[in-house]
Amino acid sequence: MKAGNRMQYIKVDDLAFHYEDEPVLENICFEVNAGDFAILTGENGAAKSTLLRNILGLLKPTKGSVTLSKKNTEGDKLVVGYIPQQVASFNAGFPSTVLELVSSGRYPRGKWFKKLDKEDKEHVKKSLESVGMWAMRHKKIGELSGGQKQRISIARVFAMDPDLFILDEPTTGMDVDSREEFYKLLQHASEYHDKGILMVTHDHEEIRHYANKHIELIRKEGSPWRCFSMDSCKERSKHPSSFH
Amino acid sequence: MFLYGFMQRAFQASILISLIAPMLGLFLILRRQSLMADTLSHVSLAGVSLGLLLGYDPTWVNILVVVIVAGILEYLRKVYRTYSEISIAILMSGGMATALVLMGLNDSGATVSIQQFLFGSIVTISVQQVWMLLILTVVIIVLYSIFRKPMYTLTFDEETAYTAGLPIQFMSVMFNILTGVTIALIMPIVGALLVSAILILPAAISIRLSKSFNGVIFIGIGVALIGMIMGLMGSYYLGTPPGATITLIYIAIFSLIAVFK
């Protein structure tokens, strides 16, 4: 693990979020830095996805603030790769081949108005291979199974090669071996390539060896229904492995 | 039949519309805005009536009205996010009602009948209209080739497009405005009742025939050319209304593919 002043990618400061008048998230603070592999857990209905959407700017916090770094460790514009929760978001009727969709991951890398070059195509190939979907590249995305759709969503973000990964339960439906592989890949990305990772997940037991930060959303005693808070909020420990 | 000037212009217009329709139609379908085309064509009836009542060039007044409403539609799409048909229902009937009232107020001359705009008159198209269509076609092709990638990303999923740094709100509004201008120009030619069929059906057919995004556009242009030209010739020989004939041909192609695929 690289020591010292790692760059701060996400800073959540005393965030609260209400749907209408109902408090859903309250006093939440944490940070995710370059090189962090952070997992976000909490029981069902703990508004984990809502928290991610606040961080991404898709929702506005009712109170407090979220700061996303503008730059990456190299001083270039920070590129964020977001994988939403699968079932809800995958546009299955969309007329596109697997290759077209995964290639579109390269567009935010300065390729909105430029042709993809050799390096882009290499990235796309590698990322399709890493999820075992290279052979399926000419298939129409609507014909894929649920698990395959999930894999190409992951490949699309891998192709993007973002500085910060924000992943909402990306391993749902994967078998144990694939999950292990996936975690290893993410761990490698954070450790060796200084990527920041924030991942919502349920299987925090098996991920223990890979992640180095654990953020858990819990409900405070005696507080109203659906009010959750971060237990580590007060402590603010800089300790990387603060598992509970 | 090609010896008649009006038929030549009708064919030129048909070819231009065939080039435009699949590009706009595909995005309209994927953005779940198929009915927006219908709404805007009803609104554009009101635009034309307003122009005639005020004594200005109906084409320009119409473009202005439709562009404003296209902007309002984007706003309503936000407000009624889960029931987006509401905005369509309101504006569609509102547009039609406004058109009828404005035409009722207009007693200056009996020359304009609502019938002409409802059902279109591809065979009475003017040279000026062909020119305007040509300019519009060039603009749309240029915009499509420049913004193909951002539009692909936006239509696949707005939220990931936003996180990838695209100005999604701005793009949505610009797309609606472009759709509005197109409809304002095409409506007098094919008729308010059939504008959306002519924009949507070629893409709806080609989505089923192609695996890739670009393929849908190219096949869509082919489908549109077949439908428009066969429809125009059919209407010439059978004496049927052109817009309706074209639409029926599209629906026939659609059914054939539905049966065999």
Side-chain angles (χ1 to χ4, degrees), chain A residues 53 96 100-101 114 140, chain B residues 149 152 156 159 207 213:
Chain A
R53 292 159 59 81
S96 171
E100 273 179 318
L101 183 69
K114 275 193 217 145
K140 192 171 178 172
Chain B
K149 290 174 182 177
Y152 174 99
F156 182 73
E159 298 202 334
I207 277 184
F213 196 77

Side-chain angles (χ1 to χ4, degrees), chain B residues 66-127:
Chain B
V66 175
V67 162
I68 292 171
V69 171
I72 295 175
L73 260 177
E74 180 64 22
Y75 169 74
L76 289 175
R77 195 167 80 100
K78 279 244 134 68
V79 177
Y80 293 111
R81 194 175 305 212
T82 38
Y83 302 108
S84 54
E85 324 85 77
I86 294 178
S87 52
I88 286 172
I90 295 172
L91 285 170
M92 203 188 279
S93 45
M96 188 63 141
T98 313
L100 292 173
V101 167
L102 289 175
M103 284 188 188
L105 291 175
N106 187 0
D107 45 20
S108 60
T111 44
V112 188
S113 84
I114 188 163
Q115 201 118 2
Q116 188 191 337
F117 288 105
L118 274 179
F119 302 112
S121 48
I122 199 163
V123 289
T124 61
I125 184 173
S126 69
V127 178

Side-chain angles (χ1 to χ4, degrees), chain A residues 147-163:
Chain A
Q148 290 171 326
K149 282 176 189 151
Q150 194 170 24
R151 278 157 188 267
I152 61 165
S153 303
I154 291 169
R156 188 186 188 208
V157 165
F158 281 168
M160 191 184 214
D161 192 20
D163 306 301

